[in-house]
């Protein structure tokens, strides 16, 4: 079934995936997922839960995987031919897609009442999960706690995406698209071959804009896309760091293998960063609003009456300066960002001194560079000790990879700034 050439370009050639399909509406996308994996040279064997079978037929999965489909823990034939230990043993990775709130809860708490959950408890193989559920279930403290627990044990979450849901609501909870899941698996296998110099380190990264409410429906924001900050979180995780990404509202997918905390305002971002500490590394890539509306209205402002409303602004806490100024518990390396249009290095060096950070990544955001919202960036990396690198006109992913490597070098040499 492999399409000519595709398997050679993908790191999935020859990999064995055990796909566990649990009972969400997104299960209807799994035959497509299996096809995409198989055309990249991957062997896919499926386990279907009883509720998963309400949304996708066993026959469909069996046909596209061209392998036996496993459903029942107590089926003597299956159990003798292929027990739950064997299923795990013969896979390189276990992928749970869709991963419902229920199966995530069972994984977090070690419940084993069917074949899928038994395999998941019995396995010593890496596990990736693509959650799919109603937005309220995803945001419920029980699910948040289960996901955090699973991530702390090394389970990687793929998505979920934000969007319109089958239940008529809107928000995070949609399963990642099949090709996004394929890309996450490719990234996972690529990492396995790469060195992991930041293993054992914790990095906290801020990303995206903040939204400062004017009233319940309006807010002040900026054009930050979050692409650079998210790419840095991905690059640090690739080098083995445990990464907590504190993100303002963005339209891009969560990086794989990273724990994401979503916030709206600068005040919430500071609280989330403080809750995520201690860390070895802090990277402040967010475009934090300098001010918030001090007199934000509790109800929607209306036209008419006594003319236009006057907005009173109050200065937001400076997250970078706050973390830089921590005495005990300050991360060993604090990296800030600076957006400049001219005299980039000189302004950035002054900002580094003012904020008290160790390094500063100065973006050239003059309009000709197209940095804001674009996919490329030109930066100066300026160190407190005077060292400076210039990385011109690179994809944001490459800037992120170089910064992560510089951070790993800094920890390897144990050099203090
Ligand atoms: N930052 C922060 N909290 C704030 C404001 C900024 O953590 N309330 C961080 C940003 O994440 C970034 C750096 O500080 O790492 C940018 O500092 P800032 O003073 O906002 O610089 P610019 O955006 O370049 O703006 P300006 O030149 O106007 O000072």
């Amino acid at each position: 079934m492999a399409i000519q050439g595709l398997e050679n370009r993908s790191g999935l050639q020859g990999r064995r995936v055990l796909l566990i399909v649990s009972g969400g509406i997104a299960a209807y996308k799994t035959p497509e997922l299996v096809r995409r994996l198989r055309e990249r040279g991957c062997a896919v064997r499926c386990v279907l839960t009883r509720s998963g079978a309400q949304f996708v037929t066993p026959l469909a999965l069996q046909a596209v995987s061209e392998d036996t489909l496993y459903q029942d823990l107590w089926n003597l034939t299956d159990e003798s031919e292929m027990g739950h230990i064997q299923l795990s043993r013969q896979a390189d990775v276990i992928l749970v897609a869709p991963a419902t709130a229920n199966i995530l809860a069972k994984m977090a708490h070690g419940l084993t009442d069917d074949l899928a959950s038994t395999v998941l408890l019995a396995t010593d193989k890496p596990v990736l999960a693509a959650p799919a559920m109603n937005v309220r279930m995803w945001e419920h403290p029980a699910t948040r706690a289960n996901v955090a627990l699973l991530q702390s044990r090394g389970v990687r979450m793929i998505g979920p995406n934000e969007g319109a849901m089958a239940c008529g609501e809107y928000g995070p909870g949609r399963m990642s698209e099949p090709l996004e899941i394929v890309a996450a698996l490719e990234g996972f296998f690529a990492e396995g071959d790469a060195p992991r110099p930041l293993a054992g380190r914790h990095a906290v990264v801020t990303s995206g804009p903040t939204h400062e409410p004017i009233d319940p429906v309006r807010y002040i924001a900026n054009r930050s896309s979050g692409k650079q900050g998210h790419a840095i979180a991905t690059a640090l995780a690739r080098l083995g760091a445990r990464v907590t990404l504190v993100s303002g509202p963005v339209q891009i997918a969560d990086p794989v293998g990273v724990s994401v905390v979503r916030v709206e305002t600068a005040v919430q971002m500071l609280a989330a960063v403080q809750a995520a500490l201690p860390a070895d590394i802090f990277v402040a890539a967010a475009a934090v609003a300098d001010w918030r509306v001090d007199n934000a209205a509790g109800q929607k402002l209306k036209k008419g009456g006594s003319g236009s409303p006057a907005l009173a602004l109050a200065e937001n806490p400076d997250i970078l300066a706050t973390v830089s100024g921590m005495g005990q518990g300050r991360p060993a390396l604090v990296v800030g960002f600076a957006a400049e249009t001219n005299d980039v290095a000189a302004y950035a060096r002054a900002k580094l001194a003012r904020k008290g950070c160790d390094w500063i990544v100065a973006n050239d955001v003059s309009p000709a560079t197209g940095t804001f919202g674009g996919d490329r960036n030109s930066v100066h990396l300026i160190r407190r000790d005077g060292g400076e690198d210039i990385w011109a006109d690179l994809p944001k992913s490459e800037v992120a990879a170089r910064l992560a490597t510089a951070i790993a070098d800094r920890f390897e040499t144990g050099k203090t700034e």
Side-chain angles (χ1 to χ4, degrees):
M1 186 193 271
I3 290 177
Q4 195 68 37
L6 198 51
E7 71 276 25
N8 297 329
R9 295 199 305 273
S10 171
L12 293 176
Q13 171 65 33
R15 308 286 191 179
R16 298 166 307 168
V17 175
L18 182 65
L19 173 64
I20 293 182
V21 179
S22 69
I25 176 87
Y28 81 87
K29 293 183 182 172
T30 54
E32 167 77 4
L33 172 61
V34 174
R35 290 199 59 223
R36 296 293 171 214
L37 289 169
R38 297 212 56 219
E39 68 193 15
R40 284 160 178 76
C42 221
V44 187
R45 173 167 286 160
C46 299
V47 172
L48 181 62
T49 68
R50 187 199 286 257
S51 40
Q54 301 290 325
F55 298 98
V56 61
T57 67
L59 206 55
L61 279 177
Q62 177 146 326
V64 286
S65 68
E66 294 183 68
D67 197 347
T68 310
L69 176 88
Y70 295 88
Q71 285 186 278
D72 194 350
L73 185 57
W74 306 115
N75 179 323
L76 280 181
T77 319
D78 283 359
E79 188 63 13
S80 58
E81 281 175 4
M82 183 66 67
H84 51 278
I85 308 287
Q86 270 313 88
L87 280 170
S88 154
R89 221 173 256 160
Q90 294 187 359
D92 299 315
V93 68
I94 299 191
L95 171 64
V96 189
T100 58
N102 183 50
I103 202 155
L104 291 173
K106 291 206 285 188
M107 288 163 71
H109 300 284
L111 301 184
T112 58
D113 59 357
D114 62 2
L115 179 62
S117 52
T118 309
V119 169
L120 284 161
L121 193 67
T123 189
D124 56 357
K125 296 294 167 65
V127 178
L128 285 82
M133 66 196 76
N134 164 276
V135 54
R136 282 176 220 293
M137 293 167 82
W138 175 247
E139 286 174 350
H140 193 285
T143 305
R144 309 271 17 103
N146 289 337
V147 167
L149 188 59
L150 290 169
Q151 285 175 322
S152 74
R153 293 183 192 144
V155 175
R156 301 187 171 218
M157 298 294 155
I158 306 170
N161 288 345
E162 199 156 301
M165 318 202 65
C167 51
E169 293 193 62
Y170 186 93
R174 280 168 65 104
M175 187 176 83
S176 296
E177 294 302 323
L179 282 178
E180 292 175 319
I181 297 175
V182 167
L185 271 177
E186 284 172 340
F188 167 77
F189 283 118
E191 268 171 43
D193 305 331
R196 298 171 73 76
L198 289 175
R201 308 272 180 196
H202 180 209
V204 176
V205 179
T206 66
S207 183
T210 62
H211 285 182
E212 307 295 335
I214 296 170
D215 67 16
V217 295
R218 304 179 179 96
Y219 53 83
I220 298 175
N222 61 63
R223 295 186 193 281
S224 166
S225 63
K227 285 180 184 169
Q228 186 64 80
H230 279 50
I232 291 167
T234 303
L236 290 168
R238 268 199 195 134
L239 295 190
R242 176 167 73 84
V243 181
T244 307
L245 175 65
V246 180
S247 176
V250 293
Q251 301 302 319
I252 54 177
D254 288 352
V256 176
V258 161
S259 174
V260 182
V261 183
R262 291 189 175 81
V263 297
E264 298 235 326
T265 68
V267 168
Q268 291 168 357
M269 188 173 273
L270 174 62
V273 166
Q274 287 171 326
L277 294 176
D280 304 284
I281 301 151
F282 177 61
V283 181
V288 184
D290 288 320
W291 295 280
R292 66 178 174 278
V293 180
D294 203 21
N295 57 343
Q299 291 179 324
K300 188 181 168 195
L301 295 170
K302 292 290 196 190
K303 284 194 294 288
S306 51
S308 312
L311 300 181
L313 298 180
E315 198 165 326
N316 268 328
D318 190 315
I319 302 164
L320 175 59
T322 306
V323 173
S324 296
M326 285 171 67
Q328 223 187 352
R330 179 193 191 273
L333 183 67
V334 177
V335 183
F337 269 70
E340 310 291 349
T341 54
N342 55 304
D343 300 315
V344 175
Y347 278 126
R349 201 165 278 291
K351 195 165 288 171
L352 181 147
R354 197 167 67 240
K355 304 249 178 179
C357 52
D358 304 306
W359 295 358
I360 204 147
V361 181
N363 292 296
D364 184 349
V365 291
S366 47
T369 64
T371 293
F372 265 121
D375 291 321
R376 299 179 79 81
N377 209 351
S378 289
V379 307
H380 295 235
L381 171 63
I382 294 169
R383 298 174 168 88
R384 192 143 47 130
D385 66 5
E388 182 177 336
D389 290 307
I390 299 176
W391 299 329
D393 194 24
L394 293 173
K396 287 182 174 174
S397 56
E398 178 59 23
V399 169
R402 290 189 186 192
L403 180 64
T405 304
I407 290 173
D409 288 348
R410 147 76 178 69
F411 279 94
E412 238 155 36
T413 55
K415 190 163 168 283
T416 47
E417 302 309 314

